[in-house]
Tab-separated table of all heavy atoms in Angstrom:
chain	number	residue	atom	x	y	z
A	238	GLN	N	72.780	16.859	-50.764
A	238	GLN	CA	71.757	16.452	-49.783
A	238	GLN	C	72.124	15.220	-49.010
A	238	GLN	O	71.843	15.115	-47.840
A	238	GLN	CB	70.392	16.181	-50.539
A	238	GLN	CG	69.775	17.401	-51.202
A	238	GLN	CD	69.388	18.413	-50.031
A	238	GLN	OE1	68.902	18.029	-48.956
A	238	GLN	NE2	69.621	19.693	-50.331
A	239	TRP	N	72.778	14.297	-49.720
A	239	TRP	CA	73.260	13.064	-48.993
A	239	TRP	C	74.293	13.390	-47.992
A	239	TRP	O	74.325	12.897	-46.818
A	239	TRP	CB	73.812	12.143	-50.071
A	239	TRP	CG	74.393	10.888	-49.483
A	239	TRP	CD1	73.686	9.816	-48.907
A	239	TRP	CD2	75.778	10.449	-49.469
A	239	TRP	NE1	74.573	8.809	-48.504
A	239	TRP	CE2	75.827	9.173	-48.841
A	239	TRP	CE3	76.935	11.058	-49.854
A	239	TRP	CZ2	77.033	8.504	-48.681
A	239	TRP	CZ3	78.165	10.424	-49.697
A	239	TRP	CH2	78.181	9.143	-49.101
A	240	LEU	N	75.192	14.359	-48.304
A	240	LEU	CA	76.196	14.778	-47.310
A	240	LEU	C	75.590	15.454	-46.111
A	240	LEU	O	75.946	15.214	-44.976
A	240	LEU	CB	77.244	15.684	-48.021
A	240	LEU	CG	78.171	15.075	-48.995
A	240	LEU	CD1	78.943	16.204	-49.834
A	240	LEU	CD2	79.185	14.213	-48.319
A	241	LYS	N	74.617	16.280	-46.382
A	241	LYS	CA	73.927	16.979	-45.289
A	241	LYS	C	73.190	16.021	-44.404
A	241	LYS	O	73.182	16.141	-43.108
A	241	LYS	CB	72.975	18.040	-45.873
A	241	LYS	CG	73.626	19.240	-46.485
A	241	LYS	CD	72.616	20.149	-47.100
A	241	LYS	CE	73.273	21.372	-47.765
A	241	LYS	NZ	72.257	22.262	-48.432
A	242	SER	N	72.565	15.028	-45.014
A	242	SER	CA	71.819	14.085	-44.192
A	242	SER	C	72.672	13.187	-43.362
A	242	SER	O	72.269	12.612	-42.346
A	242	SER	CB	70.927	13.158	-45.111
A	242	SER	OG	71.766	12.352	-45.900
A	243	SER	N	73.957	13.047	-43.705
A	243	SER	CA	74.868	12.259	-42.949
A	243	SER	C	75.464	12.992	-41.746
A	243	SER	O	76.094	12.370	-40.891
A	243	SER	CB	76.072	11.790	-43.839
A	243	SER	OG	76.895	12.927	-44.148
A	244	GLY	N	75.184	14.272	-41.717
A	244	GLY	CA	75.688	15.102	-40.593
A	244	GLY	C	77.039	15.650	-40.806
A	244	GLY	O	77.630	16.340	-39.899
A	245	ILE	N	77.654	15.428	-41.954
A	245	ILE	CA	79.043	15.908	-42.228
A	245	ILE	C	78.909	17.385	-42.626
A	245	ILE	O	78.142	17.781	-43.420
A	245	ILE	CB	79.683	15.109	-43.388
A	245	ILE	CG1	79.818	13.649	-42.979
A	245	ILE	CG2	80.986	15.687	-43.827
A	245	ILE	CD1	80.359	12.719	-44.136
A	246	ASP	N	79.860	18.182	-42.040
A	246	ASP	CA	80.004	19.576	-42.432
A	246	ASP	C	80.938	19.581	-43.626
A	246	ASP	O	82.141	19.813	-43.430
A	246	ASP	CB	80.551	20.387	-41.287
A	246	ASP	CG	80.546	21.888	-41.614
A	246	ASP	OD1	80.314	22.239	-42.715
A	246	ASP	OD2	80.861	22.680	-40.660
A	247	PHE	N	80.428	19.399	-44.764
A	247	PHE	CA	81.207	19.216	-45.998
A	247	PHE	C	82.119	20.414	-46.280
A	247	PHE	O	83.258	20.308	-46.689
A	247	PHE	CB	80.374	18.859	-47.201
A	247	PHE	CG	81.139	18.666	-48.450
A	247	PHE	CD1	81.892	17.488	-48.614
A	247	PHE	CD2	81.143	19.578	-49.515
A	247	PHE	CE1	82.654	17.272	-49.736
A	247	PHE	CE2	81.870	19.378	-50.614
A	247	PHE	CZ	82.623	18.201	-50.746
A	248	LEU	N	81.547	21.588	-46.065
A	248	LEU	CA	82.316	22.862	-46.420
A	248	LEU	C	83.496	23.024	-45.482
A	248	LEU	O	84.414	23.762	-45.770
A	248	LEU	CB	81.356	24.050	-46.367
A	248	LEU	CG	80.253	24.034	-47.442
A	248	LEU	CD1	79.426	25.288	-47.345
A	248	LEU	CD2	80.838	23.844	-48.839
A	249	ARG	N	83.522	22.382	-44.315
A	249	ARG	CA	84.647	22.394	-43.449
A	249	ARG	C	85.633	21.255	-43.664
A	249	ARG	O	86.814	21.335	-43.345
A	249	ARG	CB	84.246	22.430	-41.960
A	249	ARG	CG	83.550	23.667	-41.546
A	249	ARG	CD	83.184	23.672	-40.055
A	249	ARG	NE	82.536	24.846	-39.654
A	249	ARG	CZ	83.095	25.986	-39.205
A	249	ARG	NH1	84.399	26.029	-39.196
A	249	ARG	NH2	82.353	27.009	-38.882
A	250	ALA	N	85.127	20.232	-44.377
A	250	ALA	CA	85.945	19.018	-44.623
A	250	ALA	C	86.601	19.103	-46.020
A	250	ALA	O	87.592	18.405	-46.267
A	250	ALA	CB	85.125	17.791	-44.517
A	251	ASN	N	86.005	19.966	-46.885
A	251	ASN	CA	86.555	20.014	-48.271
A	251	ASN	C	86.577	21.512	-48.641
A	251	ASN	O	85.509	22.138	-48.708
A	251	ASN	CB	85.617	19.231	-49.236
A	251	ASN	CG	86.338	18.996	-50.574
A	251	ASN	OD1	87.474	19.270	-50.744
A	251	ASN	ND2	85.560	18.403	-51.493
A	252	PRO	N	87.753	22.107	-48.884
A	252	PRO	CA	89.045	21.449	-49.045
A	252	PRO	C	89.580	20.834	-47.775
A	252	PRO	O	89.358	21.381	-46.709
A	252	PRO	CB	89.951	22.606	-49.605
A	252	PRO	CG	89.284	23.854	-49.086
A	252	PRO	CD	87.826	23.549	-49.171
A	253	ASP	N	90.337	19.731	-47.910
A	253	ASP	CA	90.888	19.118	-46.730
A	253	ASP	C	92.134	19.779	-46.277
A	253	ASP	O	92.605	20.796	-46.888
A	253	ASP	CB	91.170	17.600	-47.009
A	253	ASP	CG	92.137	17.368	-48.100
A	253	ASP	OD1	93.057	18.220	-48.395
A	253	ASP	OD2	92.074	16.271	-48.685
A	254	ALA	N	92.737	19.301	-45.183
A	254	ALA	CA	93.907	19.997	-44.615
A	254	ALA	C	95.084	20.033	-45.569
A	254	ALA	O	95.806	21.088	-45.601
A	254	ALA	CB	94.305	19.211	-43.355
A	255	GLN	N	95.276	19.017	-46.402
A	255	GLN	CA	96.395	19.005	-47.333
A	255	GLN	C	96.120	20.078	-48.407
A	255	GLN	O	97.061	20.826	-48.797
A	255	GLN	CB	96.544	17.650	-47.953
A	255	GLN	CG	97.666	17.568	-48.958
A	255	GLN	CD	99.035	17.683	-48.306
A	255	GLN	OE1	99.305	16.971	-47.403
A	255	GLN	NE2	99.856	18.583	-48.764
A	256	ASN	N	94.863	20.173	-48.876
A	256	ASN	CA	94.581	21.230	-49.879
A	256	ASN	C	94.839	22.658	-49.320
A	256	ASN	O	95.484	23.504	-50.000
A	256	ASN	CB	93.070	21.189	-50.253
A	256	ASN	CG	92.625	19.916	-50.925
A	256	ASN	OD1	91.519	19.438	-50.765
A	256	ASN	ND2	93.527	19.237	-51.671
A	257	VAL	N	94.429	22.872	-48.092
A	257	VAL	CA	94.640	24.166	-47.477
A	257	VAL	C	96.109	24.474	-47.300
A	257	VAL	O	96.561	25.610	-47.515
A	257	VAL	CB	93.878	24.276	-46.132
A	257	VAL	CG1	94.212	25.555	-45.357
A	257	VAL	CG2	92.392	24.131	-46.373
A	258	GLU	N	96.827	23.433	-46.820
A	258	GLU	CA	98.309	23.623	-46.659
A	258	GLU	C	98.979	23.996	-47.956
A	258	GLU	O	99.879	24.802	-48.044
A	258	GLU	CB	98.928	22.374	-46.074
A	258	GLU	CG	100.416	22.494	-45.699
A	258	GLU	CD	100.923	21.214	-45.133
A	258	GLU	OE1	100.175	20.514	-44.475
A	258	GLU	OE2	102.179	20.959	-45.296
A	259	ASP	N	98.504	23.402	-49.060
A	259	ASP	CA	99.018	23.627	-50.379
A	259	ASP	C	98.594	24.990	-50.954
A	259	ASP	O	99.124	25.411	-51.984
A	259	ASP	CB	98.716	22.515	-51.338
A	259	ASP	CG	99.424	21.231	-51.067
A	259	ASP	OD1	100.503	21.335	-50.392
A	259	ASP	OD2	98.955	20.137	-51.422
Side-chain angles (χ1 to χ4, degrees):
Q238 290 300 319
W239 179 68
L240 288 167
K241 289 177 182 177
S242 67
S243 71
I245 296 173
D246 186 351
F247 181 71
L248 295 181
R249 290 183 182 273
N251 197 5
D253 62 25
Q255 182 66 53
N256 297 149
V257 174
E258 183 178 333
D259 288 336

